[in-house]
Amino acid sequence: PPDPVVRAELLAQLTAAPPPNDMWEVGGASNFMITAARLGQRVACLGQLGPDVYGDFFRNVMEAEHVAAILPLDPAAAAQSATLLCFVLVGPQSEHA
């Protein structure tokens, strides 16, 4: 939504009550890493994953796709962090909103 207040409310709603995880995907650069791993390349991922449902989902997908994880440099700080999120909003005709 173009209105910043409405957008903030929508994002708060999405993070408070996430959609079912069968609607999730790792997306973006992660798709590239998965493709490279499937083609037999050695691939590793470095990113911000917290101890939450989003981080668990990402870790599980990457592990299943044989993409190695780089362990946190500071595990105590990582345990206090939230997973960085990107919501892609899709309109009625499946266009990015």
Side-chain angles (χ1 to χ4, degrees):
D3 182 295
V5 173
V6 173
R7 186 172 42 241
E9 289 171 354
L10 176 60
L11 291 173
Q13 178 186 357
L14 287 170
T15 54
N21 69 2
D22 63 343
M23 296 177 66
W24 301 2
E25 56 182 71
V26 291
S30 303
N31 291 336
F32 179 81
M33 290 185 287
I34 289 169
T35 300
R38 288 179 180 177
L39 291 170
Q41 300 300 307
R42 291 177 51 203
V43 182
C45 179
L46 174 65
Q48 171 82 23
L49 297 178
D52 51 37
V53 294
Y54 304 109
D56 293 343
F57 175 81
F58 190 87
R59 275 187 286 277
N60 291 338
V61 170
M62 292 293 113
E63 183 179 317
E65 293 290 349
H66 307 289
V67 174
I70 305 292
L71 297 178
L73 298 176
D74 184 351
Q80 305 275 332
S81 301
T83 301
L84 295 176
L85 301 176
C86 174
F87 288 101
V88 177
L89 304 178
V90 179
Q93 270 67 48
S94 297
E95 76 280 7
H96 285 173

